[in-house]
Amino acid sequence: MALTLAEMAVEVLTCGDALQKVSLGRAHAAAWLASRAAGVPLAVGRAEPPLQPARPAAPELLDPRDVPRRKPGSLAGRQAMLHAVAHIELNAVDLHWDIIARFCDQPMPLGFYDDWVRAADDECRHFLMLCDCLAAMGSHYGALPAHAGMWRAAEDTMGDLQARLAVVPMVLEARGLDVTPGMIALFQGAGEAGAVAALQVIYAEEVSHVAYGSKWFNWLCGREGTDPKEVFHDLVRRYFHGSLKPPFNEEKRADAGLPPDFYWPLVEARGQGG
Ligand SMILES: [Fe+2]
Ligand SMILES: [Fe+2]
């Protein structure tokens, strides 16, 4: 018997080895997409995802305040920056498979699963590209400590699909669109062509992940007859810990279907200038 999509998701989530996780993720994504292309989709099915995904023994996960900071201008600083992005990508692999398994009891069109399978597959490639960049710089994923709080947004929103869409793709992944051009410039300045190329691919592809988020968020509002902007503000205020921080990448956010009146009202006024 072929695995259902939900069972595939749980296999990825419970795999603790990073390289095995991404190769399993890529194989499962290919199987799902091939079944869809052939017109005989695999069953979505039901499965129980773990509360937290399995992770490798290294990197050591630390409170962000305890993760050592390194000068961005130095080689060590650039290694640390790519290591942090690799950690975000591996977490994103789990986030996308988790949204598939976590909410499989709610009927959604098959296109919803196609989108998150594609996004998960993108994150696997992003992680592998960054591993190559780290190797070229004499480092590897696991060489440095990493941020322990990455799964918090998933835990906070495990009971609410719309809140998950609002917080993960539409807030956190949209934040990636804001900060990636600065990182690309930093690696360009250092003459690191490999890292520049990898970050440019990531930057281009992340737009679609934010777009999948806003597409299905709006779709759910349409099904329920609610106002997307009002629901977005309400859910982000309830489920996201922190305020949104400008400057925003207005152009890429617009490409991803995220209009300014969604995010500007969530900027905390007292945070400005301080
Ligand atoms: Fe990514
Ligand atoms: Fe992403």
Side-chain angles (χ1 to χ4, degrees):
M1 270 295 278
L3 292 180
T4 65
L5 184 65
E7 286 167 342
M8 290 181 186
V10 170
E11 268 199 1
V12 175
L13 289 161
T14 52
C15 177
D17 182 89
L19 288 177
Q20 254 175 37
K21 186 191 283 286
V22 300
S23 67
L24 206 53
R26 297 219 68 192
H28 287 339
W32 170 261
L33 294 171
S35 80
R36 288 282 282 146
V40 283
L42 295 165
V44 173
R46 298 257 175 117
E48 190 76 32
L51 283 180
Q52 299 207 327
R55 284 300 164 77
E60 181 190 6
L61 301 181
L62 296 178
D63 187 291
R65 283 167 300 191
D66 301 327
V67 175
R69 288 179 184 275
R70 292 170 175 87
K71 281 204 194 90
S74 64
L75 174 64
R78 291 193 298 278
Q79 285 173 338
M81 193 175 278
L82 287 189
H83 192 278
V85 181
H87 186 60
I88 288 169
E89 299 291 351
L90 189 65
N91 191 67
V93 171
D94 284 325
L95 282 171
H96 297 325
W97 283 110
D98 189 82
I99 199 174
I100 290 169
R102 186 75 55 193
F103 303 101
C104 59
D105 56 337
Q106 297 180 37
M108 292 296 287
L110 290 185
F112 172 85
Y113 302 102
D114 293 343
D115 286 348
W116 298 117
V117 165
R118 282 200 189 93
D121 196 46
D122 290 347
E123 312 296 13
C124 289
R125 280 186 300 100
H126 297 171
F127 177 73
L128 292 171
M129 286 190 302
L130 290 164
C131 287
D132 288 346
C133 294
L134 284 168
M137 292 166 80
S139 186
H140 64 274
Y141 180 65
L144 299 169
H147 194 313
M150 288 278 167
W151 201 246
R152 170 139 194 215
E155 288 176 320
D156 289 344
T157 59
M158 63 184 262
D160 188 327
L161 172 56
Q162 263 192 306
R164 173 68 64 87
L165 291 166
V167 171
V168 174
M170 297 171 79
V171 169
L172 296 177
E173 293 196 275
R175 175 83 186 138
L177 300 179
D178 302 336
V179 301
T180 307
M183 281 188 352
I184 292 172
L186 193 142
F187 283 91
Q188 261 161 348
E192 309 249 19
V196 170
L199 290 169
Q200 277 170 339
V201 170
I202 291 171
Y203 183 48
E205 293 184 346
E206 288 300 329
V207 175
S208 65
H209 305 174
V210 181
Y212 298 154
S214 49
K215 167 180 159 185
W216 292 109
F217 182 87
N218 282 298
W219 187 87
L220 285 164
C221 288
R223 187 167 77 177
E224 281 148 34
T226 51
D227 181 87
K229 186 178 56 158
E230 302 290 318
V231 176
F232 182 74
H233 292 162
D234 173 47
L235 291 175
V236 174
R237 288 193 176 109
R238 259 199 286 158
Y239 289 96
F240 181 67
H241 304 276
S243 65
L244 304 200
K245 291 184 181 65
F248 298 113
N249 188 336
E250 304 252 357
E251 188 185 331
K252 291 291 173 190
R253 284 170 172 259
D255 283 348
L258 211 51
D261 60 352
F262 270 54
Y263 49 86
W264 274 107
L266 297 169
V267 175
E268 214 172 297
R270 65 189 153 88
Q272 283 177 344

